[in-house]
Amino acid sequence: MKTIIFADYAAALSQRKATLGIEAPVNDGARRTPEKRALLQELEDRQRAIGQQPVFQARY
């Protein structure tokens, strides 16, 4: 079995995408349900309450 280091794999993948000119679309959150929006807001609020930045960029 081959061991893959994720950071190396992600870097190689980013390089291949850049070489090919592939850009991933950004999810603008336009089709999110109210429940999902509330969940994302709750997660963000909890992170901020403990003094941390959210680990994701939510668009809701």
Side-chain angles (χ1 to χ4, degrees), residues 26-32 37 59-60:
V26 176
N27 184 347
D28 65 0
R31 295 176 31 193
R32 287 207 174 100
R37 291 175 196 272
R59 294 175 179 86
Y60 47 89

Side-chain angles (χ1 to χ4, degrees), residues 5-33:
I5 298 170
F6 185 75
D8 295 343
Y9 174 75
L13 183 60
S14 293
Q15 179 61 40
R16 283 191 305 229
K17 286 181 177 183
T19 301
L20 295 172
I22 297 172
E23 294 184 26
V26 176
N27 184 347
D28 65 0
R31 295 176 31 193
R32 287 207 174 100
T33 64

Side-chain angles (χ1 to χ4, degrees), residues 2 18 35 40:
K2 181 179 177 182
E35 294 84 6
L40 291 172

